[in-house]
Amino acid sequence: DIQMTQSPSSLSASVGDRVTITCRASQDIRNDLGWYQQKPGKAPKRLIYAASSLQSGVPSRFSGSGSRTEFTLTISSLQPEDFATYYCLQHNSYPRTFGQGTKVEIK
Amino acid sequence: EVQLVESGGGLVKPGESLRLSCAASGFTFSNYNMNWVRQAPGKGLEWVSSIDGTSSYIYYADSVKGRFTISRDNAKNSLYLQMNSLRAEDTAVYYCAREVAITMVRGVTPDYWGQGTLVTVSS
C-alpha cells in the first residue's frame, strides 16, 4: 500500500501569509495526486487535481506542484475563508490513501 | 448540475447491517468510477471502496473487506454500500464521490462529492 505522509498536521498563520503544505508518497505515484479543502460539517472540495491543475472556480492563490513522491500545496496569500483542513489523496493505485490532514488556523 | 445525494444512514447496534445509497444526477453515471469515503468524528478521510462503471472492478479497504459490499445500478443512476457486521469503529459520515478512470487502477482526483450520511454504531 502507498503511504501518504502529510505535514504539518496543523499550522497557525495570519491573513496574507504564504502557506505551504507537503505530502510525501511512499512510492512513485506519477502525478496522481489531488488536494482538498474541508470545512466543518461540509464535504471535501477539490482544489487541485493531477498534482498541479487548478480546479475551475478555485482562486488562483492556490497552486499545486510536484510529481512522483513529493507534492506541495501552496496558498500564496491566505484569506479568511481559507481557514480549513486540507487533505492530499493519491489515486495511482488501490487502496486509495489520504494524507492525515493539515488544519490551518488563525494566528 | 452534477448532484450526488447519499441516504440510508442511521443508528444501529454492533453486528447489525445497513445499506447506504447514493443517487446521482446531472451526468452520465455509467461513465464514472464511484467511490465511498468515510470520516469518523473528528478524524481524517478514509477511502472505503471503489467500483468501475461496469461493475467489473471492485476494490475495498482492508478495514471493511468481507463485511461491506459496493454495487451500482446504472439504470437507476445509483450507488450502494451494503454494510454488514457493523462495528463501533465504522461510525462515520459516509460520502460518495465520482472519479474519472484513466486505467484499471489509476484515476483522476474525485471531483464531485455528496453531502454525506452519518452512520452511528452503538449499543
Side-chain angles (χ1 to χ4, degrees), chain A residues 36-53:
Chain A
Y36 292 95
Q37 177 192 69
Q38 189 181 33
K39 296 183 177 179
K42 299 294 188 182
K45 172 187 174 182
R46 189 175 79 169
L47 301 175
I48 300 289
Y49 62 97
S52 59
S53 295

Side-chain angles (χ1 to χ4, degrees), chain B residues 48-70:
Chain B
V48 173
S49 183
S50 297
I51 186 169
D52 78 310
T54 61
S55 303
S56 300
Y57 300 104
I58 288 174
Y59 304 92
Y60 297 101
D62 285 345
S63 57
V64 306
K65 200 172 295 182
R67 301 187 299 123
F68 290 12
T69 302
I70 191 172

